[in-house]
Amino acid sequence: MFPKIHLHKFISWASSRYQKLSLFGKTAVCSILLFYACLITFIVLVTPSRIAQFMYDLAQGIRRIPYGSLILMAVVVLTSFPPFIGYTTLMNLCGFTYGMQGFIPAAISTICGSTVVFVVLRFLFSNRLRKWTATNEKWQVLEAVIRAKGLPLIILIRVSSFPPWVYSNSLFASIESVSLIQFVFATLFVLPRVLVYVFVGSRIATLSDGEQRGHMATSTKIINGLLIVGGIVTSIIASSLVYCFMQDEIKMLHRSSPANNELAAEALEDAEQGAPLLAQHPLGT
């Protein structure tokens, strides 16, 4: 009975949020759903084992390429810019290709990519940023909350999986009270999560090659499978806890009213759309 009630509430909430979206937003949602439907169909038709073998062969090809790790790092830097996606997949690919040694290029490209995004976006959109913050109450409240809480809240938001990686980069580039040093320092706390992504990728690689899998004992397969699931679950739980802590920190700001708490939360949601740096506004650049 209770699951049905919760499901009904979730459907009502999702439907309400969808109706409030603009035409572009509705088109984007439909496109994403269509993409995943096609992806699932593709996986079912081709079969997961063939896809895994193809990915393993591709990873080995990258590994044999001179400076392959540098190419992979360059792609990570590129996907750190919104609206590109695929950062988490690339972290898995680092582990998939190089094993746990893939943590080194993954960590370096994570720090470098986010830093480049921060500097470039803040430099290119500095005028738009000032105009936006002068007229947007939600962003002013969010800046005030972050300014009051300082580095601890910056770290919590940075470590949280919401907003997503690329929009988290643009979020902090949008907040003038966040310095480059604070941003880079907070990004260092993302590295444990990167390590989990690389670890999961390395375990998936051991199960992807048909030849290795054929010579692998059943118990070893089970252990690798459990390690993969454990890594994913750990990442999800940790991200959820951090997100809850982040929301609590915002709400516990003693000078903040409930209305301001709501505005700050809405500003974080707006960050997923790249506001204010990447959203379309009549303010100009």
Side-chain angles (χ1 to χ4, degrees):
M1 177 178 179
F2 291 106
K4 290 183 179 179
I5 294 176
H6 290 308
L7 179 61
H8 175 72
K9 289 182 178 179
F10 174 77
I11 293 175
S12 298
W13 173 82
S15 176
S16 176
R17 290 296 298 267
Y18 177 79
Q19 295 300 326
K20 293 179 181 179
L21 292 174
S22 63
L23 178 60
F24 176 80
K26 291 179 180 178
T27 303
V29 170
C30 292
S31 299
I32 292 172
L33 292 177
L34 178 62
F35 168 78
Y36 281 112
C38 293
L39 179 62
I40 293 173
T41 303
F42 174 79
I43 292 174
V44 171
L45 293 177
V46 179
T47 71
S49 60
R50 289 184 179 179
I51 296 174
Q53 185 65 56
F54 172 79
M55 294 301 298
Y56 180 83
D57 295 339
L58 177 63
Q60 294 307 304
I62 295 175
R63 187 167 187 165
R64 288 191 291 267
I65 295 176
Y67 309 110
S69 60
L70 293 179
I71 297 174
L72 194 56
M73 290 169 64
V75 177
V76 173
V77 172
L78 179 63
T79 55
S80 296
F81 282 88
F84 292 108
I85 60 174
Y87 168 78
T88 302
T89 302
L90 288 170
M91 294 297 100
N92 292 143
L93 184 59
C94 287
F96 197 90
T97 306
Y98 298 102
M100 291 307 297
Q101 294 179 349
F103 175 71
I104 296 176
I108 293 175
S109 58
T110 292
I111 301 298
C112 293
S114 58
T115 302
V116 170
V117 172
F118 183 93
V119 173
V120 169
L121 292 185
R122 180 163 290 189
F123 175 76
L124 290 180
F125 295 93
S126 58
N127 291 333
R128 168 176 287 187
L129 174 60
R130 294 189 188 95
K131 293 177 181 179
W132 169 273
T133 54
T135 58
N136 189 281
E137 185 181 3
K138 289 189 294 185
W139 216 260
Q140 291 173 2
V141 171
L142 179 61
E143 284 193 342
V145 170
I146 291 179
R147 189 181 299 110
K149 285 294 185 179
L151 187 59
L153 181 57
I154 295 173
I155 293 173
L156 279 177
I157 297 176
R158 192 61 173 147
V159 174
S160 172
S161 57
F162 180 84
W165 173 253
V166 292
Y167 296 113
S168 176
N169 292 335
S170 65
L171 166 69
F172 287 109
S174 305
I175 301 174
E176 286 192 302
S177 59
V178 178
S179 68
L180 176 61
I181 295 177
Q182 287 178 317
F183 176 76
V184 174
F185 182 76
T187 302
L188 294 176
F189 288 83
V190 177
L191 296 184
R193 192 172 69 192
V194 172
L195 182 62
V196 173
Y197 291 151
V198 172
F199 172 76
V200 170
S202 68
R203 293 299 90 196
I204 293 176
T206 62
L207 297 175
S208 297
D209 182 35
E211 184 177 351
Q212 292 187 49
R213 194 169 58 248
H215 294 86
M216 192 179 295
T218 303
S219 58
T220 305
K221 294 179 183 178
I222 294 175
I223 291 173
N224 279 313
L226 291 175
L227 288 173
I228 293 171
V229 173
I232 295 173
V233 171
T234 300
S235 178
I236 293 174
I237 293 175
S239 297
S240 300
L241 289 175
V242 169
Y243 178 73
C244 292
F245 291 151
M246 177 187 70
Q247 293 293 331
D248 289 341
E249 283 295 317
I250 292 176
K251 293 177 181 178
M252 286 174 59
L253 187 62
H254 64 278
R255 295 181 181 177
S256 179
S257 66
N260 283 351
N261 290 334
E262 184 66 24
L263 288 174
E266 289 179 4
L268 279 175
E269 292 180 3
D270 288 345
E272 191 170 357
Q273 303 172 14
L277 295 183
L278 302 177
Q280 296 297 322
H281 302 290
L283 295 174
T285 56

